Amino acid sequence: MEKIKMLTPLVEMDGDEMTRVLWQLVKDELILPFVDLKTEYYDLGLKHRDETDDQVTIDAANANMKYGVGVKCATITPNPARVTEYGLKAMYKSPNGTIRAILDGTCFREPILVKGIEPCVKNWKKPITIARHAYGDVYKNSEIRIPGAGKAELVFTDEQGNRTTQTVFEFKGPGVVQGMHNLDASIRSFAESCMTYALENKKDLWFATKDTISKTYDRDFKEIFEEVYETQFRDSFEKAGITYFYTLIDDAVARVMKSEGGFVWACKNYDGDVFSDMLSSAFGSLAMMTSILISPKGCYEYEAAHGTVQKHYYRYLKGEKTSTNSVATIFAWSGALRKRGELDGIDALVSYADALEKACIKTIEDGCMTGDLARITTFENPTVLDSEGFIKAIRATLETQLS
Ligand code: NAP
Ligand code: MG
């Protein structure tokens, strides 16, 4: 079979530990035999980030902006233990945070559904995509421990020196106080990203806040979403037969549990943090969760939602067999290649991406899977494969499909 030609390179961001091992296997077994792969390679492995003082992460993000589509392997976010383990010069920031700041993107997380791995919520028939607003709120807060009686105030001083003051609370004894912020521009680009994603994927969009209680802060979110919808998206949503639905966060949570899925759920930063973990575990496995970062300018970065699977990597280093699930990593590649195919008008690349995803799903539905899925499957006597064996099984399914 002739290999599929590409026009524009993908921005390839390599990573750390077990996922770096899977990365190479996935390329060797599932991509390079079929695609004449063009990538611009950036090594975001921790050692190389350290050698470049993390410049490589910035370069990779800028390349992602330049070419439009990137695919990223999971990476270590250093903590003090990692600084010692790798002898780092500094405790670098999370690469995902750096990339997100440069792309100004919204992160969409979507579970991959297969027969035999049933969601805990039995009425969920279709994936629920979570879009998390990754700016501000409690993640960029200021907090003070109140030692005893006194008045806490919220003060804003404008550029002319005019002050607006509000009493937060008159303390009679010790307590705590917190201040947080958000930006209209960030909320607007979040709304635009969510609506663009819903439209591209022909899915309804839900958004929820607590604007009945937070009459200024949360209402700002609600109003900006409404304005973006009315001025930019209403017509195209109606043509596509999809809806934008706003409700209160507690009502949204109740409805999500009763729904059959199939929509995009836009969440404020904290809600997205909490509910994305709830959804991924309720849908089955973190290893079956994909993550796409989409910038308002139309740049895409694809990755798995899970980390570098450190425990498996240490076993791998000792020469033990591991059974690490590569599905989300494979879907990162297929997602990026499909998008590249769509943007460059290469139908063969789009079809190949579809086939690769189908091969993953069929392999699992035929009963061949890694340990994480074998533990939760409803199938009797699944065949448990090791990391490499699973990728080889997917290759065999893919070759049968393509021939
Ligand atoms: P993790 O990689 O998400 O893994 C946590 C546990 O989840 C694993 O020990 C494993 O459970 C299970 N798991 C996750 N992915 C799996 C897969 N593909 N196949 C099978 N099981 C899987 O989190 P971590 O090990 O706590 O974190 C390791 C590093 O990842 C950290 O340094 C963190 O900074 C980084 N991280 C990176 C990203 C990113 O780049 N996007 C995201 C999160 C974390 P069992 O041990 O029970 O098998
Ligand atoms: Mg979290």
Side-chain angles (χ1 to χ4, degrees):
M1 197 186 99
E2 209 187 319
K3 288 191 196 183
I4 301 161
K5 293 263 183 303
M6 292 176 67
L7 293 174
T8 319
L10 274 183
V11 177
E12 175 184 354
M13 297 171 243
D14 209 341
D16 289 301
E17 300 196 310
M18 202 58 213
T19 41
R20 189 180 178 101
V21 177
L22 296 180
W23 194 257
Q24 197 58 49
L25 282 170
V26 165
K27 276 173 67 177
D28 289 345
E29 288 289 331
L30 298 175
I31 298 174
L32 294 173
F34 307 98
V35 180
D36 193 2
L37 187 67
K38 258 193 183 185
T39 73
E40 194 165 292
Y41 179 86
Y42 292 86
D43 183 1
L44 266 53
L46 189 49
K47 187 167 165 285
H48 192 241
R49 272 183 278 152
D50 193 45
E51 284 160 4
T52 62
D53 299 315
D54 210 21
Q55 183 61 36
V56 65
T57 309
I58 296 165
D59 292 346
N62 285 329
N64 204 148
M65 289 285 274
K66 176 176 163 195
Y67 292 111
V69 187
V71 57
K72 180 180 168 293
C73 179
T75 45
I76 293 169
T77 298
N79 56 15
R82 298 300 200 164
V83 174
T84 315
E85 182 184 354
Y86 284 80
L88 300 178
K89 290 182 266 174
M91 198 155 80
Y92 302 100
K93 283 193 269 183
S94 140
N96 287 48
T98 303
I99 296 167
R100 205 154 49 209
I102 292 174
L103 264 66
D104 179 26
T106 299
C107 203
F108 295 84
R109 273 182 159 201
E110 183 166 316
I112 300 156
L113 301 197
V114 293
K115 291 196 195 84
I117 309 295
E118 306 300 335
C120 301
V121 181
K122 61 181 187 307
N123 44 282
W124 287 354
K125 304 286 180 234
K126 299 175 201 163
I128 298 170
T129 310
I130 285 244
R132 173 178 171 191
H133 182 217
Y135 180 82
D137 299 356
V138 74
Y139 301 85
K140 262 198 191 302
N141 68 354
S142 306
E143 308 181 319
I144 304 176
R145 167 90 200 140
I146 304 293
K151 183 159 76 166
E153 289 178 307
L154 203 55
V155 181
F156 171 72
T157 314
D158 72 14
E159 285 179 325
Q160 286 72 44
N162 305 309
R163 293 180 145 221
T164 313
T165 308
Q166 256 196 43
T167 301
V168 176
F169 194 67
E170 307 246 12
F171 285 88
K172 304 275 184 285
V176 282
V177 67
Q178 175 186 72
M180 38 184 221
H181 81 281
N182 223 299
L183 303 172
D184 285 3
S186 173
I187 301 167
R188 185 163 293 116
S189 83
F190 175 52
E192 287 169 356
S193 295
C194 291
M195 290 178 199
T196 305
Y197 183 92
L199 206 53
E200 278 185 6
N201 293 281
K202 297 238 179 323
K203 289 182 175 187
D204 290 341
L205 176 65
W206 294 20
F207 181 49
T209 72
K210 194 71 183 174
D211 67 294
T212 45
I213 301 295
S214 173
K215 291 190 195 311
T216 305
Y217 197 103
D218 276 17
R219 184 158 300 170
D220 199 49
F221 281 81
K222 179 188 179 185
E223 283 176 356
I224 290 172
F225 263 72
E226 247 164 45
E227 180 217 301
V228 170
Y229 178 64
E230 291 300 336
T231 56
Q232 298 181 47
F233 287 92
R234 180 183 273 283
D235 288 350
S236 12
F237 266 53
E238 282 172 3
K239 266 191 212 116
I242 56 172
T243 53
Y244 167 61
F245 171 61
Y246 176 85
T247 185
L248 286 170
I249 186 68
D250 38 357
D251 181 47
V253 172
R255 285 172 189 260
V256 163
M257 297 309 282
K258 298 277 180 202
S259 78
E260 63 164 32
F263 52 90
V264 181
W265 184 11
C267 287
K268 286 183 63 198
N269 210 351
Y270 177 82
D271 300 339
D273 186 353
V274 175
F275 291 130
S276 67
D277 283 333
M278 187 193 79
L279 283 186
S280 66
S281 75
F283 269 111
S285 167
L286 195 52
M288 298 291 281
M289 196 81 167
T290 60
S291 176
I292 314 171
L293 180 68
I294 304 182
S295 84
K297 292 188 189 69
C299 295
Y300 299 79
E301 185 235 30
Y302 292 80
E303 66 174 320
H306 60 78
T308 60
V309 210
Q310 182 180 14
K311 281 191 210 138
H312 295 208
Y313 182 59
Y314 289 166
R315 269 182 249 147
Y316 166 85
L317 288 181
K318 281 195 256 165
E320 293 170 22
K321 284 272 179 220
T322 60
S323 183
T324 317
N325 188 338
S326 46
V327 169
T329 300
I330 298 169
F331 271 63
W333 275 100
S334 59
L337 290 168
R338 178 187 296 106
K339 181 54 77 181
R340 203 59 274 168
E342 285 168 4
L343 293 174
D344 293 347
I346 309 170
D347 295 342
L349 199 54
V350 176
S351 310
Y352 159 78
D354 293 344
L356 178 55
E357 291 179 1
K358 280 201 194 104
C360 292
I361 292 170
K362 185 168 183 335
T363 304
I364 298 170
E365 292 184 343
D366 286 348
C368 299
M369 57 192 79
T370 43
D372 57 312
L373 298 183
R375 279 199 296 271
I376 55 171
T377 184
T378 52
F379 293 152
E380 277 169 34
N381 307 318
T383 307
V384 185
L385 299 171
D386 62 26
S387 308
E388 197 172 349
F390 181 57
I391 291 170
K392 291 218 155 101
I394 295 169
R395 165 126 185 220
T397 315
L398 179 62
E399 278 177 345
T400 315
Q401 272 178 9
L402 292 177
S403 65

